[in-house]
Amino acid sequence: MFEPVIAPSGTLLGLLQRGRGDGTLHALAAPRAEALQALNQCVLRDPRQDWQVENRSLYYARLYLDLDGPLGDIESHLFSADDPVDDSDHRTGLALSVLGHLASYGRDDALILLRRYAASGANWAWALDELALRDDDEGLLSLAAPVLARFPATQEGEGRLAAAVRDAYEPRPWRLWEETAEYGTRLGAARRQGSFDRWQRQLTPNGPRPGWGVQAVFEWAADGLRRGTPLHVPAARCLAAVASPEDRGTILAAAAGAAGDAARATALHHLVLAEPENPVVLDLIEAAADEPAVAAYERMTGPAALDRARSWIHRPDALGEAAAALLASHGEAEDAGLVLGALRSTVRGSGPDSPRLYTLVDGAGRLSIGCAAPVLRHIYRETASSQLRGRAARALAGTDPTFAAGFAVECLWDCEETTREVAARHAETADARVAPRLRRLASDPAEEEDVQSAVRSRITPETAL
């Protein structure tokens, strides 16, 4: 897996990598060869910070349609010499998802390419899932032989087949194949084995048991920490179930560190919910100020925690960051200045892609901090995260009077459905591009229901979109 190199935000490649609406608009205005080169680079070298939560596939597929783009570069990428040795989702997942959307739009070349890859590619399972949503029964039946040939008729092969059937994201192909005379017996056995494996795992006891006390919970948490699996959060839930008033002294002592790190983290996570207004708990968090203590503090939302946040927000450590996030999420109008200061200092110190900005951007919108608009616009333009850009767009909708005629228009082409929804509710229809785009979103079967609902809320007899 490689780290994507993101081009400057003012370039066509940089706009497309970020999934900005302006990327599509600039690509359609650029020479076709230049636009296709940038588009192919994005699809073949996934530019997302977190490919599991950020959307790009529909955005890129729509641009392939608008440019009538050929799929030769995607084909070469999928069937390159790297494929047999690298079956990672990150290498091929975006390209396969783009092909899936193109197949939905009627691109037969995309459908054929998906079938070929499902039959012989390393990441065949992803391709099969795409086909399960788009292909007809005949096309899926043609893949039974090459897919099942991947699982030899040995004990190991049958075990891998059972796991594949059990873990399939889209079960339609497997069910279709199971209905055939040729493969039904084998796939029926694999399905039953997968179900048995899942049931057997559920029966394996590896956690708390009836009759446990406070000390047993602490020991369970310590054992998890020794194995490299922190268990203080579930252990804190167990503690709430087994602790009695007589155990309070033991729990407070553990929270102060008397019984080790795992017990301290467990006790703190328990106390922030059991005694959220106890200043002693906040004193213990301040004294520790390490990762478990900060994580425990992040679960607090009451008045006492907010009061401490106002004094801790200037700390240059993780506890100060948690205090800023708490005020952004739960603070009151008088906290707007503190949240704005934290937002500005985070951008200056960590840049427009800092994970800490998510909550602060939301807080700027929640508290309607009008003077935050300039820094929100900067984050919107520069961040490589489409998720953060969408949050900035939502905050701008409530803080920037120029949003409806500015960024909201380009957001109609954004890669994130939630950002398109915001744009559909706010984009100024005086811009000649808005009404045709709203019509296209309303009629596109691939568009999300929430976006189309927002579009329909704008369509009235008076506007005659």
Side-chain angles (χ1 to χ4, degrees), residues 373-436:
V375 68
L376 291 172
R377 288 194 291 265
H378 173 75
I379 294 169
Y380 177 96
R381 292 189 188 97
E382 298 300 327
T383 183
S385 167
S386 56
Q387 290 282 321
L388 180 55
R389 182 178 64 253
R391 290 171 182 252
R394 288 191 290 276
L396 285 167
T399 59
D400 185 1
T402 70
F403 177 73
F407 285 144
V409 175
E410 77 155 273
C411 284
L412 289 170
W413 285 264
D414 197 87
C415 67
E416 295 292 341
E417 63 196 58
T418 52
T419 307
R420 296 194 298 275
E421 181 185 353
V422 170
R425 298 189 185 281
H426 292 91
E428 176 55 63
T429 54
D431 190 305
R433 298 169 295 179
V434 171

XYZ file of all heavy atoms in Angstrom, residues 373-436:
485
model
N -15.731 31.754 8.883
C -15.899 31.460 7.458
C -14.582 31.479 6.677
O -14.352 30.583 5.852
C -16.906 32.427 6.838
N -13.682 32.447 6.885
C -12.435 32.427 6.109
C -11.606 31.165 6.319
O -11.092 30.587 5.355
C -11.691 33.680 6.595
C -12.775 34.599 7.056
C -13.804 33.701 7.664
N -11.471 30.720 7.562
C -10.680 29.508 7.803
C -11.420 28.279 7.317
O -10.812 27.319 6.809
C -10.295 29.385 9.292
C -11.479 29.111 10.173
C -9.245 28.288 9.483
N -12.748 28.276 7.380
C -13.529 27.159 6.837
C -13.379 27.077 5.323
O -13.277 25.979 4.754
C -15.004 27.306 7.212
C -15.354 27.132 8.694
C -16.810 27.490 8.947
C -15.065 25.710 9.158
N -13.362 28.225 4.673
C -13.156 28.220 3.219
C -11.772 27.695 2.870
O -11.590 26.981 1.872
C -13.360 29.631 2.651
C -14.804 30.093 2.621
C -14.987 31.323 1.753
N -14.368 32.503 2.337
C -14.992 33.402 3.087
N -16.292 33.243 3.352
N -14.367 34.452 3.561
N -10.777 28.034 3.685
C -9.422 27.523 3.452
C -9.396 26.001 3.588
O -8.808 25.302 2.744
C -8.456 28.159 4.451
C -7.071 27.575 4.415
N -6.167 27.845 3.413
C -6.447 26.691 5.258
C -5.046 27.176 3.637
N -5.197 26.468 4.742
N -10.025 25.479 4.628
C -10.077 24.028 4.815
C -10.793 23.381 3.642
O -10.347 22.351 3.107
C -10.777 23.690 6.143
C -9.938 24.176 7.329
C -11.025 22.194 6.267
C -10.650 24.128 8.663
N -11.907 23.975 3.224
C -12.667 23.423 2.107
C -11.785 23.299 0.859
O -11.797 22.273 0.177
C -13.872 24.317 1.818
C -14.688 23.867 0.630
C -15.817 23.073 0.795
C -14.325 24.230 -0.662
C -16.554 22.645 -0.290
C -15.052 23.802 -1.759
C -16.166 23.015 -1.568
O -16.879 22.584 -2.663
N -11.031 24.320 0.558
C -10.210 24.311 -0.667
C -9.040 23.348 -0.575
O -8.696 22.674 -1.541
C -9.661 25.717 -0.935
C -10.682 26.763 -1.324
C -9.969 28.043 -1.774
N -10.888 29.140 -1.988
C -11.151 30.087 -1.094
N -10.542 30.063 0.099
N -12.006 31.060 -1.356
N -8.401 23.282 0.573
C -7.087 22.645 0.648
C -7.096 21.203 1.151
O -6.186 20.444 0.823
C -6.164 23.472 1.555
C -5.903 24.880 1.034
C -5.245 24.877 -0.333
O -4.459 23.952 -0.617
O -5.535 25.790 -1.131
N -8.083 20.807 1.942
C -8.008 19.469 2.517
C -8.089 18.400 1.438
O -8.806 18.543 0.436
C -9.131 19.244 3.544
O -8.980 17.949 4.117
C -10.507 19.336 2.909
N -7.335 17.326 1.653
C -7.400 16.178 0.746
C -8.515 15.220 1.146
O -8.810 14.275 0.402
C -6.064 15.432 0.743
N -9.142 15.437 2.282
C -10.195 14.562 2.772
C -11.556 15.059 2.307
O -11.982 16.163 2.671
C -10.171 14.508 4.310
O -11.352 13.915 4.803
N -12.247 14.258 1.531
C -13.585 14.663 1.086
C -14.574 14.667 2.246
O -15.557 15.412 2.219
C -14.072 13.744 -0.027
O -14.052 12.388 0.375
N -14.325 13.849 3.269
C -15.184 13.864 4.450
C -15.058 15.203 5.184
O -16.066 15.810 5.568
C -14.803 12.722 5.381
C -15.145 11.348 4.849
C -16.612 11.012 4.985
O -17.243 11.348 5.988
N -17.170 10.364 3.976
N -13.833 15.665 5.379
C -13.630 16.950 6.066
C -14.164 18.100 5.219
O -14.751 19.043 5.747
C -12.143 17.138 6.381
C -11.767 18.437 7.100
C -12.564 18.614 8.387
C -10.267 18.475 7.388
N -13.969 18.016 3.896
C -14.501 19.078 3.041
C -16.019 19.148 3.162
O -16.612 20.237 3.193
C -14.103 18.833 1.586
C -14.593 19.945 0.645
C -14.163 19.743 -0.788
N -14.749 18.541 -1.387
C -14.070 17.432 -1.629
N -12.792 17.358 -1.334
N -14.661 16.385 -2.177
N -16.679 17.996 3.235
C -18.123 17.994 3.399
C -18.555 18.630 4.703
O -19.561 19.354 4.751
N -17.806 18.374 5.761
C -18.125 19.019 7.041
C -17.933 20.523 6.947
O -18.725 21.301 7.504
C -17.246 18.443 8.148
C -17.584 16.998 8.518
C -16.533 16.426 9.462
N -16.798 15.044 9.800
C -17.223 14.604 10.980
N -17.447 15.472 11.947
N -17.423 13.322 11.195
N -16.872 20.939 6.240
C -16.650 22.374 6.058
C -17.791 22.995 5.262
O -18.234 24.110 5.560
C -15.315 22.604 5.350
N -18.292 22.283 4.262
C -19.413 22.797 3.470
C -20.646 22.973 4.348
O -21.351 23.997 4.254
C -19.707 21.856 2.305
N -20.935 22.005 5.211
C -22.091 22.131 6.095
C -21.928 23.298 7.062
O -22.892 24.017 7.349
C -22.319 20.829 6.865
C -22.848 19.702 5.998
C -23.308 18.517 6.828
N -22.182 17.814 7.451
C -21.466 16.889 6.833
N -21.720 16.575 5.572
N -20.472 16.281 7.456
N -20.711 23.479 7.553
C -20.472 24.613 8.455
C -20.603 25.938 7.716
O -21.158 26.903 8.245
C -19.090 24.490 9.086
N -20.108 25.995 6.493
C -20.211 27.223 5.702
C -21.660 27.563 5.378
O -22.027 28.738 5.289
C -19.408 27.085 4.414
C -17.884 27.195 4.564
C -17.183 26.722 3.301
C -17.478 28.634 4.897
N -22.489 26.539 5.204
C -23.895 26.792 4.900
C -24.562 27.594 6.006
O -25.527 28.332 5.748
C -24.634 25.470 4.685
N -24.054 27.460 7.241
C -24.648 28.186 8.356
C -23.867 29.392 8.817
O -24.302 30.087 9.736
N -22.716 29.652 8.201
C -21.873 30.762 8.661
C -21.482 31.742 7.565
O -21.104 32.874 7.867
C -20.572 30.222 9.291
O -19.860 29.449 8.320
C -20.874 29.346 10.507
N -21.564 31.329 6.308
C -21.047 32.150 5.210
C -22.190 32.558 4.283
O -22.762 31.715 3.578
C -20.007 31.347 4.429
C -19.334 32.171 3.334
O -19.662 33.364 3.206
O -18.487 31.613 2.612
N -22.546 33.829 4.234
C -23.657 34.255 3.372
C -23.363 34.090 1.882
O -24.286 34.135 1.064
C -23.849 35.735 3.741
C -22.562 36.153 4.372
C -22.006 34.944 5.045
N -22.104 33.887 1.512
C -21.771 33.709 0.091
C -21.799 32.245 -0.336
O -21.569 31.938 -1.507
C -20.372 34.274 -0.214
O -19.355 33.437 0.395
C -20.222 35.691 0.312
N -22.088 31.337 0.600
C -22.001 29.913 0.289
C -22.968 29.508 -0.820
O -22.605 28.764 -1.737
C -22.281 29.088 1.552
C -22.294 27.610 1.331
C -21.118 26.910 1.102
C -23.498 26.906 1.329
C -21.124 25.534 0.892
C -23.515 25.530 1.123
C -22.331 24.844 0.895
N -24.212 29.970 -0.767
C -25.226 29.525 -1.729
C -24.847 29.843 -3.162
O -25.108 29.060 -4.085
C -26.578 30.156 -1.385
N -24.223 30.986 -3.378
C -23.837 31.374 -4.736
C -22.405 30.986 -5.061
O -21.967 31.174 -6.201
C -24.000 32.887 -4.907
N -21.683 30.431 -4.080
C -20.285 30.085 -4.299
C -20.041 28.594 -4.240
O -20.364 27.852 -5.177
N -19.489 28.116 -3.130
C -19.109 26.707 -3.026
C -20.301 25.762 -3.186
O -20.144 24.629 -3.651
C -18.425 26.442 -1.690
C -17.013 26.948 -1.612
C -16.519 27.462 -0.435
C -16.177 26.896 -2.714
C -15.214 27.928 -0.349
C -14.878 27.355 -2.651
C -14.387 27.878 -1.468
N -21.509 26.195 -2.807
C -22.664 25.302 -2.910
C -22.907 24.858 -4.341
O -23.358 23.735 -4.584
C -23.910 25.985 -2.350
N -22.590 25.713 -5.298
C -22.812 25.358 -6.703
C -21.886 24.221 -7.114
O -22.322 23.210 -7.673
C -22.621 26.595 -7.611
C -22.727 26.192 -9.078
C -23.636 27.667 -7.260
N -20.591 24.354 -6.825
C -19.687 23.270 -7.208
C -19.948 21.996 -6.412
O -19.701 20.894 -6.882
C -18.220 23.695 -7.073
C -17.684 23.715 -5.656
C -16.155 23.524 -5.610
O -15.724 22.363 -5.591
O -15.433 24.538 -5.580
N -20.498 22.144 -5.198
C -20.775 20.959 -4.382
C -21.821 20.046 -5.010
O -21.935 18.884 -4.628
C -21.230 21.374 -2.986
S -19.901 21.954 -1.914
N -22.587 20.534 -5.972
C -23.537 19.675 -6.665
C -22.841 18.571 -7.447
O -23.460 17.562 -7.789
C -24.395 20.512 -7.623
C -25.426 21.440 -6.966
C -26.022 22.370 -8.009
C -26.517 20.635 -6.274
N -21.562 18.740 -7.726
C -20.773 17.728 -8.434
C -19.803 17.015 -7.490
O -18.964 16.254 -7.938
C -19.973 18.369 -9.571
C -20.772 18.741 -10.780
C -20.929 18.008 -11.917
C -21.496 19.959 -10.999
N -21.717 18.675 -12.823
C -22.078 19.891 -12.282
C -21.727 21.106 -10.224
C -22.860 20.900 -12.819
C -22.511 22.115 -10.764
C -23.072 22.014 -12.039
N -19.903 17.242 -6.186
C -18.937 16.685 -5.238
C -19.025 15.165 -5.196
O -20.053 14.559 -5.522
C -19.189 17.250 -3.839
C -18.012 17.057 -2.902
O -17.120 17.915 -2.886
O -17.982 16.021 -2.199
N -17.945 14.527 -4.752
C -17.901 13.065 -4.690
C -18.697 12.502 -3.529
O -19.094 11.329 -3.561
C -16.449 12.584 -4.605
S -15.617 13.020 -3.069
N -18.938 13.284 -2.489
C -19.638 12.792 -1.302
C -21.129 13.097 -1.398
O -21.535 14.237 -1.606
C -19.064 13.423 -0.032
C -17.630 13.046 0.272
C -17.472 11.584 0.663
O -18.486 10.952 1.041
O -16.341 11.083 0.594
N -21.931 12.082 -1.180
C -23.380 12.253 -1.282
C -23.907 13.255 -0.266
O -24.830 14.037 -0.567
C -24.072 10.909 -1.101
C -23.857 10.296 0.272
C -24.205 8.825 0.318
O -23.618 8.057 -0.455
O -25.054 8.466 1.142
N -23.342 13.262 0.951
C -23.818 14.203 1.966
C -23.509 15.645 1.575
O -24.270 16.550 1.895
C -23.187 13.882 3.326
O -21.759 13.800 3.186
C -23.702 12.551 3.861
N -22.396 15.845 0.874
C -22.062 17.187 0.408
C -22.987 17.602 -0.733
O -23.425 18.761 -0.797
C -20.595 17.236 -0.060
O -19.751 16.727 0.976
C -20.170 18.654 -0.383
N -23.312 16.666 -1.622
C -24.267 16.981 -2.691
C -25.638 17.312 -2.105
O -26.363 18.162 -2.633
C -24.377 15.818 -3.683
C -23.096 15.531 -4.436
C -23.323 14.628 -5.640
N -23.831 13.311 -5.302
C -23.099 12.267 -4.952
N -21.764 12.407 -4.848
N -23.643 11.094 -4.697
N -25.996 16.641 -1.016
C -27.279 16.930 -0.380
C -27.314 18.351 0.165
O -28.309 19.076 -0.003
C -27.532 15.927 0.742
C -28.852 16.142 1.454
C -29.031 15.223 2.650
O -28.191 14.328 2.851
O -30.012 15.417 3.392
N -26.236 18.768 0.841
C -26.162 20.143 1.335
C -26.291 21.118 0.177
O -27.019 22.120 0.252
C -24.840 20.369 2.088
C -24.631 21.837 2.403
C -24.812 19.553 3.377
N -25.577 20.826 -0.915
C -25.618 21.712 -2.077
C -27.019 21.772 -2.676
O -27.505 22.849 -3.073
C -24.621 21.235 -3.128
N -27.694 20.624 -2.744
C -29.033 20.595 -3.325
C -30.007 21.458 -2.526
O -30.987 21.979 -3.072
C -29.542 19.157 -3.401
N -29.762 21.608 -1.240
C -30.645 22.415 -0.402
C -30.301 23.903 -0.441
O -31.161 24.736 -0.132
C -30.599 21.918 1.047
C -31.086 20.490 1.218
C -31.235 20.098 2.670
N -31.583 18.693 2.808
C -32.814 18.201 2.637
N -33.793 19.024 2.335
N -33.046 16.902 2.779
N -29.063 24.240 -0.815
C -28.634 25.629 -0.673
C -28.218 26.312 -1.976
O -28.196 27.550 -2.033
C -27.464 25.731 0.311
C -27.832 25.409 1.724
N -27.740 24.134 2.237
C -28.295 26.194 2.735
C -28.115 24.143 3.513
N -28.460 25.372 3.834
N -27.840 25.575 -3.013
C -27.262 26.200 -4.203
C -28.236 27.198 -4.832
O -29.423 26.911 -5.004
C -26.872 25.134 -5.225
N -27.706 28.346 -5.172
C -28.501 29.438 -5.726
C -28.893 29.129 -7.171
O -28.042 28.945 -8.033
C -27.698 30.742 -5.656
C -28.365 31.947 -6.289
C -29.746 32.200 -5.711
O -29.828 32.488 -4.504
O -30.712 32.088 -6.485
N -30.185 29.064 -7.434
C -30.654 28.695 -8.769
C -30.458 29.807 -9.793
O -30.677 29.582 -10.988
C -32.141 28.311 -8.731
O -32.892 29.375 -8.128
C -32.335 27.026 -7.928
N -30.039 30.995 -9.358
C -29.731 32.045 -10.329
C -28.526 31.682 -11.177
O -28.373 32.184 -12.295
C -29.484 33.367 -9.602
N -27.654 30.794 -10.662
C -26.530 30.294 -11.461
C -27.081 29.350 -12.525
O -27.803 28.399 -12.225
C -25.547 29.557 -10.547
C -24.238 29.215 -11.243
O -24.291 28.563 -12.298
O -23.175 29.588 -10.721
N -26.718 29.591 -13.774
C -27.285 28.831 -14.891
C -26.942 27.344 -14.835
O -27.611 26.532 -15.488
C -26.804 29.423 -16.214
N -25.932 26.966 -14.078
C -25.539 25.557 -14.015
C -26.374 24.751 -13.033
O -26.392 23.517 -13.096
C -24.061 25.450 -13.604
C -23.083 26.092 -14.581
C -21.689 26.173 -13.969
N -21.651 27.074 -12.811
C -20.556 27.316 -12.087
N -19.416 26.701 -12.397
N -20.604 28.136 -11.061
N -27.064 25.430 -12.123
C -27.700 24.735 -11.011
C -28.930 23.948 -11.445
O -29.068 22.754 -11.130
C -28.047 25.726 -9.890
C -28.900 25.054 -8.816
C -26.766 26.281 -9.279
N -29.851 24.572 -12.154
C -31.096 23.890 -12.517
C -30.842 22.640 -13.358
O -31.413 21.572 -13.048
C -32.034 24.861 -13.245
N -30.000 22.681 -14.398
C -29.739 21.436 -15.144
C -29.101 20.352 -14.280
O -29.408 19.168 -14.453
C -28.793 21.891 -16.261
C -29.035 23.350 -16.417
C -29.366 23.848 -15.051
